[in-house]
Every structure is written in structure tokens, then in C-alpha cells.
């Protein structure tokens, strides 16, 4: 590009998120975008020797770890949208430590981020804590319009199933709900120097009382149009960090318009409300695109959004 601080960015995974990130980055004068590349072009994507490789494929550490390893070995910094990558130690300490060490050795950085995890339940919460005298407990509530998600993601998180399918798939783990609560909670607790004793979790389906036409899925009456999740991080036997997530293909239709709200309790209570709530599609692609420069500038190793300055749009 002939610009002194221009960056090459390669995208692996040719789905919705990668496509949006590529569109956004191509508007920036100092970024050269390669891809998005699909599975057939894995090597080309990961071994592009780009400044930053963006991996937007699945949600799980076990799936993305080999791809992260390949990109790091090729000398690239990595941004990964997998929810479990936001704090991989919550899933598999040995894989997290091994890739952290490898990145340190290669002088590059790895970051798992997006809107959630990566912003709504963690970076924004930490920023709000900055204006508090002290923090005795935290509550975060999100109501999210799921209508724009692709079919694979919707089915996996729990939308479009009969009540029976939902029960079976929830038990066998193929319906996951929103993934990433332990990651966000660990990032926030870690930065505030708090040790979580345990995280209690529950999830309930929301059954449609009529048909819904989501962008990529028809939800029939009597099947799941969404779900409600509640995760509570316990400290000294009491709730310290309570997160709730209500996702629905048309939340306004059940009297729950999208919103993001944070309550920080302590000597100086604080309430942050984002109305209407953060857009899951544009928000996630923005956080990732806006993280390209901060991951290049980060200290080597596997970092979290709690370790970095805010993501900001840049040229
Ligand atoms: N942290 C956040 O806030 C955040 C935000 C948005 C998305 N995400 C996560 O990021 C991932 C991508 O999201 P998306 O909306 O782009 O999903 P998507 O539209 O379903 O696209 C996923 C893409 O990745 C490919 N893929 C899936 N598994 C793969 C694997 N093991 N190896 C290589 N390629 C694979 C798929 O290819 P095929 O079509 O060939 O399967 C597809 O091209 C999802 O897991 C999603 O949950 C996180």
C-alpha cells in the first residue's frame, strides 16, 4: 500500500462475521485485507504472514486452537471470535498456557473478542467500574434481538427447536445457549482482584406463540423463539456478578425491547443503560475490526480485553 504503518489482515472463516469485518476493514485506507477464506483455503488464510489473522469460525477452543497455533507459528497476531477464546483458561488451562507461551516466543499476541464476550459483559463493565469508588457487586442484563443471526448459530444457541428437541439437545450439549459468561466473568473478576468461588447457571426456553420469520430461519409456533439465561458468579457465598441474557428472534413482540444495562453496586452506585441495546451483528464486527491495531500494539502472549486499551475505529 506504500503507507508506513499499513497492516495486512487475513480473515479465516467465510461466514457472516468475517464478511462484515472484511467490509468494514476494506473502508480503511491503511489496512490491506486478504480473504475472507473458507475451509478449503485454510493454509492460505493462516500462513499469509499477515500482521493480523482474524479467525471467525466456531465458538470452541478445541476447534480454533490448531488454527491459532498455525497462525502464531507463521508469525501473525491473532484475533479470534470464538467465545471460549475470550478467556481460554476457563476451558483448558494447558492449551491456553501452551499457546500463550508460543505467542510470547514468537513475539505476537492472541485476543479472543467480539461484542459478547469482548464488550457487553466485560470491557464495558470494567470501564463503568472505573467511575466507581469501590465495587461490592455487579449485575448486567442484556436483551438481544437474535433475528439477524445465521441458521447454524441460531440452532446451536437454542432457537427453532420443538420443546422435546430442546430438552434432548440441551442435555447432550448440542444446544449451548449464549457461550462466554465464564470468560467475561473471569476477565472482570481477575482485573478487580476477585476470586470467583463458583458460577451458578440456568437456562430456560422461550416458546413461540406464533410463527416468526427471522432473516435466515422460520420459527414455527410451538418451537423455541429464544431463551433466557442467568449466570451468577459467587464470592464469599453471595452473588457478586449476576448476568442475564434474554435472546429472542423478535424480543419487542414479547414486550422486551433490546437493551444493555449494567449496575455497579458499592459506595457510589452506578447504572449504565444502552438503549436500544448493542446490535449483535454490527457491534461484533466493529469490536473485531477496531481491535486490529490494539492487538498489534499489545504485549506478546494471550491477552484479554481487560489487558488492552479500548477498541477504537482507526484508519
Ligand atoms: N464474541 C462474539 O461477540 C461473537 C460475535 C459473533 C460471532 N461469534 C462467534 O463466531 C463464530 C462465527 O460467527 P458467524 O456469525 O460468522 O457464523 P457463521 O455465519 O455460521 O459462519 C461460520 C463460518 O465458519 C466456517 N466454519 C465453521 N466451523 C469451522 C471449522 N471448524 N473450521 C473452519 N471453518 C469453520 C463455516 O463454514 P461452513 O459453512 O463450511 O461450515 C462458516 O463459513 C461463531 O461461533 C459465533 O458464535 C462470536
Amino acid at each position: 500500500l506504500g503507507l508506513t504503518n499499513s497492516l495486512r489482515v487475513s480473515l479465516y472463516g467465510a461466514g457472516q462475521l468475517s464478511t462484515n469485518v472484511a467490509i468494514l476493514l476494506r473502508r480503511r485506507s491503511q489496512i490491506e485485507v486478504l480473504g475472507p477464506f473458507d475451509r478449503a483455503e485454510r493454509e492460505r488464510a493462516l500462513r499469509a504472514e499477515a500482521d493480523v489473522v482474524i479467525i471467525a469460525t466456531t465458538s470452541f477452543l478445541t476447534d480454533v486452537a490448531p488454527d491459532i497455533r498455525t497462525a502464531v507459528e507463521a508469525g501473525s497476531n491473532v484475533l479470534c471470535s470464538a467465545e471460549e477464546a475470550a478467556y481460554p483458561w476457563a476451558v483448558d488451562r494447558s492449551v491456553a498456557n501452551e499457546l500463550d507461551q508460543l505467542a510470547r516466543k514468537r513475539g505476537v499476541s492472541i485476543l479472543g473478542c467480539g461484542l459478547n464476550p469482548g464488550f457487553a459483559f466485560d470491557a464495558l463493565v470494567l470501564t463503568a467500574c472505573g467511575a466507581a469508588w469501590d465495587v461490592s457487586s455487579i449485575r448486567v442484563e442484556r436483551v438481544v434481538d437474535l433475528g439477524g443471526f445465521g441458521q447454524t448459530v441460531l440452532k446451536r444457541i437454542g432457537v427453532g427447536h420443538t420443546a422435546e428437541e430442546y430438552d434432548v439437545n440441551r442435555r447432550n450439549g448440542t444446544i449451548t445457549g449464549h457461550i462466554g459468561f465464564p470468560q467475561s466473568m473471569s476477565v472482570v473478576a481477575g482485573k478487580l482482584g476477585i476470586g470467583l468461588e463458583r458460577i451458578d447457571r440456568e437456562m430456560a426456553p422461550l416458546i413461540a406463540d406464533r410463527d416468526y420469520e427471522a432473516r435466515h430461519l422460520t420459527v414455527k409456533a410451538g418451537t423455541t423463539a429464544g431463551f433466557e439465561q442467568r449466570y451468577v458468579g459467587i464470592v464469599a457465598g453471595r452473588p457478586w456478578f449476576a448476568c442475564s441474557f434474554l435472546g429472542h428472534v423478535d424480543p419487542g413482540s414479547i414486550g422486551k425491547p433490546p437493551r444493555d444495562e449494567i449496575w455497579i453496586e458499592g459506595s457510589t452506585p452506578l447504572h449504565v443503560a444502552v438503549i436500544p441495546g448493542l446490535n449483535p451483528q454490527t457491534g461484533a464486527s466493529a469490536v473485531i475490526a477496531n481491535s486490529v491495531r490494539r492487538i498489534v500494539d499489545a504485549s506478546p502472549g494471550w491477552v484479554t480485553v481487560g489487558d488492552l486499551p479500548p477498541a477504537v475505529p482507526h484508519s
Side-chain angles (χ1 to χ4, degrees):
L1 294 179
L3 297 167
T4 47
N5 59 350
S6 65
L7 297 173
R8 293 174 83 231
V9 177
S10 173
L11 293 117
Y12 182 48
Q16 192 177 81
L17 182 57
S18 236
T19 304
N20 286 336
V21 173
I23 290 170
L24 180 43
L25 288 178
R26 285 203 161 94
R27 294 162 52 160
R28 299 193 175 169
S29 59
Q30 300 196 27
I31 306 278
E32 181 189 356
V33 179
L34 312 172
F37 299 107
D38 64 17
R39 294 169 193 268
E41 295 190 285
R42 177 183 185 275
E43 294 297 301
R44 194 171 162 204
L46 302 177
R47 294 192 201 276
E49 297 182 8
D51 296 289
V52 179
V53 168
I54 295 176
I55 298 172
T57 53
T58 82
S59 298
F60 305 104
L61 182 63
T62 179
D63 294 329
V64 295
D67 300 333
I68 293 173
R69 189 176 294 113
T70 301
V72 167
E73 278 168 350
S76 297
N77 297 285
V78 174
L79 292 174
C80 182
S81 73
E83 286 85 342
E84 290 187 349
Y87 189 83
W89 296 274
V91 183
D92 187 333
R93 295 195 72 78
S94 77
V95 168
N97 287 337
E98 179 229 319
L99 290 173
D100 176 46
Q101 286 304 318
L102 182 67
R104 284 168 196 261
K105 221 180 285 169
R106 296 303 312 245
V108 296
S109 316
I110 307 166
L111 173 70
C113 73
L115 189 66
N116 185 16
F119 192 78
F121 278 133
D122 38 52
L124 192 56
V125 175
L126 285 170
T127 299
C129 287
W133 278 23
D134 48 52
V135 177
S136 58
S137 66
I138 301 169
R139 181 158 58 98
V140 185
E141 294 182 3
R142 299 200 73 203
V143 176
V144 179
D145 187 339
L146 303 176
F149 281 98
Q151 188 165 329
T152 311
V153 171
L154 282 178
K155 285 283 190 179
R156 196 258 298 151
I157 59 179
V159 175
H161 301 275
T162 63
E164 200 175 44
E165 265 168 22
Y166 176 90
D167 283 343
V168 171
N169 293 331
R170 188 70 192 118
R171 270 198 300 275
N172 69 23
T174 51
I175 290 179
T176 60
H178 165 70
I179 296 175
F181 291 101
Q183 282 71 23
S184 293
M185 289 174 154
S186 299
V187 167
V188 171
K191 281 292 138 186
L192 296 183
I194 298 286
L196 297 175
E197 282 163 22
R198 63 171 200 277
I199 298 175
D200 294 340
R201 45 196 89 188
E202 56 191 38
M203 177 173 171
L206 297 169
I207 304 292
D209 59 5
R210 62 169 171 85
D211 291 356
Y212 286 95
E213 286 297 334
R215 203 178 308 156
H216 303 290
L217 184 73
T218 300
V219 173
K220 291 277 175 207
T223 66
T224 53
F227 54 87
E228 214 168 350
Q229 277 174 289
R230 194 171 149 75
Y231 276 56
V232 184
I234 306 292
V235 174
R238 296 169 49 162
W240 182 78
F241 193 167
C243 293
S244 81
F245 181 107
L246 186 154
H248 191 281
V249 291
D250 184 1
S253 73
I254 58 164
K256 306 265 185 193
R259 64 184 170 87
D260 282 275
E261 288 187 80
I262 300 169
W263 290 265
I264 312 284
E265 302 300 342
S267 310
T268 55
L270 211 116
H271 176 198
V272 178
V274 182
I275 310 284
L278 298 157
N279 180 296
Q281 275 79 42
T282 57
S285 49
V287 172
I288 292 178
N290 294 342
S291 295
V292 163
R293 256 182 218 285
R294 66 176 177 163
I295 197 64
V296 169
D297 294 340
S299 301
W302 198 317
V303 297
T304 76
V305 290
D307 300 323
L308 300 182
V312 288
H314 51 73
S315 56

